[in-house]
Amino acid sequence: MLLPAKAEVARHLRHYRAWERAMLASPDDRRVRATFEDSGYTLCVLMGKRCAREAADAAERYLRTNIVTYLREHSGRPHVGVVTRRGRRRVQDTRSPAGT
């Protein structure tokens, strides 16, 4: 997985938050709203999310964690806990036999 530079993420997140504040201050201004939506779209593309709010949250998590932790959280391989008969929890491997 190719990750963006943290400096770029921080810059786009600041841009998004600034336009968010401007849009909340003047919601009827179409130019402000359009620029806010554009900054949200850019953040979505940068973070690989479909929603600007999710992208902003992902950017904040990415900036406050190291790369290994972030990749572990977003590996795409959920580890689901399963309760056995004795009440102990074990981790169920959701990967296919091919390892993908």
Side-chain angles (χ1 to χ4, degrees):
M1 175 181 199
L2 185 62
L3 294 174
K6 285 196 173 192
E8 282 297 305
V9 173
R11 185 171 68 85
H12 285 289
L13 182 61
R14 281 193 310 271
H15 188 246
Y16 173 78
R17 293 295 185 203
W19 283 108
E20 181 180 41
R21 287 189 299 273
M23 197 269 309
L24 290 172
S26 56
D28 294 333
D29 188 340
R30 289 184 181 186
R31 184 188 61 82
V32 170
R33 181 173 288 278
T35 308
F36 168 66
E37 290 174 357
D38 287 346
S39 68
Y41 176 77
T42 302
L43 200 57
C44 286
V45 170
L46 192 64
M47 298 308 299
K49 300 292 180 182
R50 291 180 179 228
C51 169
R53 189 174 306 268
E54 289 176 8
D57 290 343
E60 289 170 350
R61 276 193 312 275
Y62 178 58
L63 292 173
R64 75 173 167 256
T65 62
N66 63 26
I67 292 174
V68 174
T69 304
Y70 183 80
L71 287 174
R72 190 175 297 140
E73 289 176 356
H74 295 87
S75 66
R77 294 182 182 169
H79 296 286
V80 180
V82 177
V83 177
T84 62
R85 282 187 283 209
R86 294 186 185 165
R88 293 185 308 194
R89 293 179 60 88
R90 66 180 172 88
V91 175
Q92 178 183 7
D93 191 3
T94 58
R95 292 178 284 174
S96 71
T100 57

